[in-house]
Amino acid sequence: MNKISLEDFIKKGLEKSEGIRKEADIEIEGYGPITFVRPTEDNILEYLDAQANAIKMNKNEEIIGTDYKLLANASKEFIYFSCPFLQNPELHKAWGIKDPLDAPVKAFGVENLAGIAKKIKQAFGDGKKTKEKLKKLIRGNGKGEIGPLFWLGYFFECGHSLEYLWSLPKSQKELLMEYVIYKNELMNTKPQKN
């Protein structure tokens, strides 16, 4: 197999990014169409994570509650980073907003945030590709290999904190990540706490 050249790599990357919708005009009640920009993958993941954590389920997978505050905060952040109007310092000054993330609440009302965030997510795709990437990071390739996020979660469940992880020397972090990514056979043994 021939290796790809840098020029071909650049061309393929540009072709891929050209096919992605970068902005959308979304109808917002009381305003009309407003231009929103494509959320970053980080914004999408944070929003999806908050959505998942906001819904409480029992062992039978029945919904037993919803954390509306968590959902509203995730929605306002998702909307804020997708709407250039809401990021404008002149708007913040005119509306007397001290915390920029309060702009979506001031503009649309807290009761409308979840619906608007859903419209944004739908306008740029429903997040299926991002969810699949996340599943792959957690579950691995489906051929017996466990994904790195599974191991990272396991690391924390065993009592290690994020501060501990970041306090490790770079060489130990690299070794941990190698362990996380490549050492599937250790799945059945619990790592020892330090």
Side-chain angles (χ1 to χ4, degrees), residues 137-140 146-155 157 180 187:
L137 283 171
I138 294 169
R139 296 183 183 153
I146 302 300
L149 288 183
F150 171 88
W151 283 112
L152 210 49
Y154 191 66
F155 177 80
E157 283 180 24
V180 166
M187 184 175 112

Side-chain angles (χ1 to χ4, degrees), residues 16-177:
K16 185 177 177 182
S17 67
E18 285 174 6
I20 295 174
R21 188 176 194 183
K22 294 181 179 40
E23 59 181 48
D25 292 333
I26 300 172
E27 186 72 30
I28 305 297
E29 189 176 325
Y31 287 89
I34 296 177
T35 300
F36 290 86
V37 296
R38 179 176 203 75
T40 65
E41 287 221 4
D42 281 344
N43 292 137
I44 293 170
L45 286 172
E46 286 176 22
Y47 177 67
L48 292 174
D49 185 48
Q51 273 188 319
N53 289 325
I55 298 170
K56 309 293 183 216
M57 301 181 99
N58 64 17
K59 291 179 182 179
N60 297 328
E61 295 187 17
E62 299 166 329
I63 297 174
I64 57 172
T66 304
D67 185 340
Y68 292 107
K69 187 174 183 178
L70 178 63
L71 191 56
N73 284 332
S75 297
K76 79 176 182 179
E77 206 170 298
F78 188 66
I79 294 166
Y80 175 81
F81 288 111
S82 301
C83 182
F85 287 164
L86 297 175
Q87 298 171 33
N88 188 308
E90 290 179 34
L91 176 111
H92 302 161
K93 186 177 178 184
W95 286 358
I97 294 173
K98 296 202 186 324
D99 181 356
L101 290 176
D102 288 338
V105 176
K106 180 89 171 176
F108 309 121
V110 71
E111 69 279 5
N112 296 312
L113 296 179
I116 293 170
K118 183 178 178 181
K119 284 183 177 184
I120 295 168
K121 187 177 84 168
Q122 289 172 336
F124 294 103
D126 61 4
K128 284 183 182 174
K129 285 184 181 179
T130 303
K131 285 180 190 175
E132 287 305 313
K133 284 182 188 177
L134 188 57
K135 282 181 187 175
K136 200 170 201 175
L137 283 171
I138 294 169
R139 296 183 183 153
N141 64 9
K143 298 176 185 170
E145 180 181 314
I146 302 300
L149 288 183
F150 171 88
W151 283 112
L152 210 49
Y154 191 66
F155 177 80
F156 293 121
E157 283 180 24
C158 291
H160 298 293
S161 67
L162 192 54
E163 290 91 20
Y164 173 76
L165 178 63
W166 295 133
S167 71
L168 294 173
K170 184 179 179 185
S171 61
Q172 287 182 344
K173 279 187 239 180
E174 289 170 354
L175 283 173
L176 176 63
M177 287 313 295

